[in-house]
Amino acid sequence: MRESDIERRLVQGVKKLGGKAYKFVSPGNVGVPDRLVVLPGGVVLFVEVKAPDGRLSPNQRLQMRELTQMGAHVFAVWDAGDVDVFLQACRDRYMK
């Protein structure tokens, strides 16, 4: 499965939950996660999308670590199964 297919599945799944999955680009901040997910109730999550054979770059790992240390919720998804697990976590943990 290509990264673009995984990302499309994520966007569609978040939309079905009533949320938005904005493409996140931050000039001057290399390595920020791909998607900024906003769920009903104002919950904001960061999601990095990778192909199954992809790797997190050192800058991506750094950005994810820094966001997590600030209390942000940061996820990486590598395939369709990871997207499904992420969406279930959204339902179970963030949409109560």
Side-chain angles (χ1 to χ4, degrees), residues 26-79:
S26 182
N29 293 295
V30 177
V32 295
D34 296 311
R35 291 285 172 166
L36 182 62
V37 173
V38 182
L39 298 174
V43 174
V44 178
L45 312 163
F46 294 88
V47 182
E48 177 62 38
V49 180
K50 288 291 181 191
D53 60 349
R55 292 188 214 185
L56 293 172
S57 72
N59 284 329
Q60 288 171 322
R61 285 193 297 273
L62 175 64
Q63 290 283 0
M64 293 174 77
R65 184 171 51 252
E66 288 179 347
L67 288 166
T68 300
Q69 288 171 347
M70 289 188 285
H73 303 276
V74 185
F75 299 85
V77 295
W78 304 86
D79 57 30

Side-chain angles (χ1 to χ4, degrees), residues 9-20 40 87 91 95:
R9 184 181 185 99
L10 173 73
V11 171
Q12 291 170 348
V14 169
K15 185 176 181 179
K16 286 179 184 177
L17 295 176
K20 301 274 188 177
L87 295 170
R91 285 185 209 84
M95 296 184 67

